Amino acid sequence: MNKYNIEEIKEKLDRCKNMNLKDVTLDDVDEISSIKIDRRKSSEERILDFLTKVKNPYIFKVNGKLVRMRFSENTDLTADDCLTRVLENLYR
């Protein structure tokens, strides 16, 4: 685990976290399917590998479309809760 520069990763996360999607082009981000992570590594190492390899861990491409990932400050909600809310709002 010493091969990862944790301070550098933290700086990258801070820099990328609040990037405006309007300021990002398709060339600025990685196609998520092209990121290869060794599944034999521990989950911590896989996360650190991902954070090290991607240009921006919050914005990437899926089939050529920009996707932004955000996390809620509300720790009471599960991923299922969030997805359910999205679907409920879409199909009202």
Side-chain angles (χ1 to χ4, degrees), residues 5-63:
N5 184 335
I6 301 301
E7 281 306 310
E8 201 172 279
I9 292 172
K10 285 180 183 179
E11 288 174 18
K12 181 181 191 176
L13 288 171
D14 287 338
R15 185 176 64 251
C16 295
K17 183 178 180 180
N18 296 314
M19 264 186 155
N20 190 330
L21 197 57
K22 294 176 189 172
D23 299 329
V24 177
T25 68
L26 288 174
D27 293 332
D28 294 335
V29 296
D30 300 290
E31 175 69 40
I32 196 74
S33 63
S34 69
I35 305 299
K36 304 298 178 210
I37 304 296
D38 186 348
R39 292 179 184 220
R40 294 172 292 187
K41 293 182 177 182
S42 71
S43 58
E44 284 181 4
E45 283 184 299
R46 290 193 311 256
I47 291 168
L48 291 170
D49 253 7
F50 176 78
L51 295 174
T52 303
K53 288 180 178 182
V54 297
K55 295 176 186 173
N56 185 329
Y58 295 101
I59 303 173
F60 44 86
K61 289 182 279 194
V62 176
N63 295 325

Side-chain angles (χ1 to χ4, degrees), residues 70-84:
R70 287 195 172 175
F71 299 94
S72 172
E73 298 294 326
N74 182 347
T75 57
D76 294 336
L77 292 175
T78 66
D80 283 340
D81 295 335
C82 293
L83 289 171
T84 299

Side-chain angles (χ1 to χ4, degrees), residues 85 87-92:
R85 283 185 178 181
L87 292 172
E88 286 171 348
N89 286 329
L90 284 173
Y91 297 103
R92 281 187 188 194

